[in-house]
Amino acid sequence: RKEVEQDPGPFNVPEGATVAFNCTYSNSASQSFFWYRQDCRKEPKLLMSVYSSGNEDGRFTAQLNRASQYISLLIRDSKLSDSATYLCVVNMNNNDMRFGAGTRLTVKP
Amino acid sequence: SQTIHQWPATLVQPVGSPLSLECTVEGTSNPNLYWYRQAAGRGLQLLFYSVGIGQISSEVPQNLSASRPQDRQFILSSKKLLLSDSGFYLCAWRSGGELANTFGSGTRLTVV
């Protein structure tokens, strides 16, 4: 079983749609969680951290369920500029960040 | 502000040739430094990390090595490249108080 698993997609949605990505992780001792965004042929960039209570940043909402070892990212009112690959990241300890393979999103006009 | 520089952006090397990729960080001291590789369609794989000058931890056995000759310099090397070394190599840093890594712009290596 992979340490961090994501649905690879691709997700093709129209502008304005709401889309949700899921991620599961295998190590129950994982300490911190993140979503990164990676544009084609570019480096990953931190989108948001994921907190146990859930957190929101504009159109983006992240949720964490430690009991189920499950993380989600919800994007509301999708924009063309949201097209990218979204990476689920789990920090096992201070120097061990594990990345999912990513979920590809294409937002179409 | 802190910045991370990585070069070159792209590189095409023949099998058996040596490799040296350099990464430098500005605006911070004593950062944790990381080398990752991303193969086509796959997740990032941590190759090496360093918590200080001369301190290198290797995550996977491979054809590569890393060195940290200065506090803000991290170098990825190989004596003889293999075809399987092709990929997108990313340097990242993190300061002690942060939880998430910040990445450099990456080097796209193609071994032919």
Side-chain angles (χ1 to χ4, degrees), chain A:
Chain A
R1 181 184 175 187
K2 293 181 182 177
E3 290 169 319
V4 182
E5 293 203 63
Q6 294 181 249
D7 182 342
F11 284 63
N12 298 307
V13 303
E15 270 187 294
T18 296
V19 60
F21 305 138
N22 302 322
C23 170
T24 57
Y25 59 96
S26 60
N27 191 331
S28 60
S30 300
Q31 298 176 355
S32 50
F33 309 88
F34 309 91
W35 284 100
Y36 275 71
R37 170 195 168 125
Q38 185 173 24
D39 292 298
C40 187
R41 302 181 72 81
K42 299 289 187 180
E43 74 274 22
K45 293 184 178 179
L46 179 65
L47 178 65
M48 59 195 304
S49 301
V50 187
Y51 303 117
S52 296
S53 56
N55 48 297
E56 188 173 305
D57 183 1
R59 299 181 292 108
F60 298 83
T61 301
Q63 297 277 354
L64 167 64
N65 185 323
R66 284 188 183 268
S68 302
Q69 295 178 204
Y70 170 92
I71 306 161
S72 66
L73 176 67
L74 183 77
I75 305 176
R76 291 182 299 278
D77 188 22
S78 300
K79 310 293 184 189
L80 295 176
S81 57
D82 293 334
S83 297
T85 296
Y86 290 83
L87 307 176
C88 176
V89 183
V90 175
N91 199 351
M92 303 293 186
N93 58 48
N94 202 34
N95 288 302
D96 195 359
M97 294 185 81
R98 302 287 172 158
F99 287 75
T103 299
R104 186 173 171 187
L105 171 67
T106 300
V107 181
K108 300 185 175 181

Side-chain angles (χ1 to χ4, degrees), chain B residues 3 12 18 44 49 51 53-54 57 62 75 95 99:
Chain B
T3 55
V12 180
L44 273 72
Y49 71 88
V51 299
I53 296 174
S57 296
Q62 58 210 322
I75 297 171
S95 68
L99 296 176

Side-chain angles (χ1 to χ4, degrees), chain B residues 7-89:
Chain B
W7 66 91
T10 59
L11 193 58
V12 180
Q13 293 282 99
V15 169
S17 65
L19 174 74
S20 181
L21 301 180
E22 188 164 342
C23 170
T24 59
V25 180
E26 295 179 0
T28 187
S29 59
N30 198 32
N32 290 353
L33 297 173
Y34 307 84
W35 278 111
Y36 289 85
R37 176 171 59 203
Q38 187 176 37
R42 301 181 67 179
L44 273 72
Q45 179 186 34
L46 178 63
L47 302 175
F48 301 96
Y49 71 88
S50 172
V51 299
I53 296 174
Q55 300 180 60
I56 308 294
S57 296
S58 175
E59 288 296 300
V60 292
Q62 58 210 322
N63 186 40
L64 302 168
S65 62
S67 62
R68 185 169 176 174
Q70 300 180 46
D71 180 45
R72 288 170 287 179
Q73 184 185 31
F74 204 22
I75 297 171
L76 183 69
S77 304
S78 174
K79 292 182 180 178
K80 289 185 178 181
L81 285 168
L82 306 172
L83 287 174
S84 57
D85 290 325
S86 294
F88 190 34
Y89 287 83

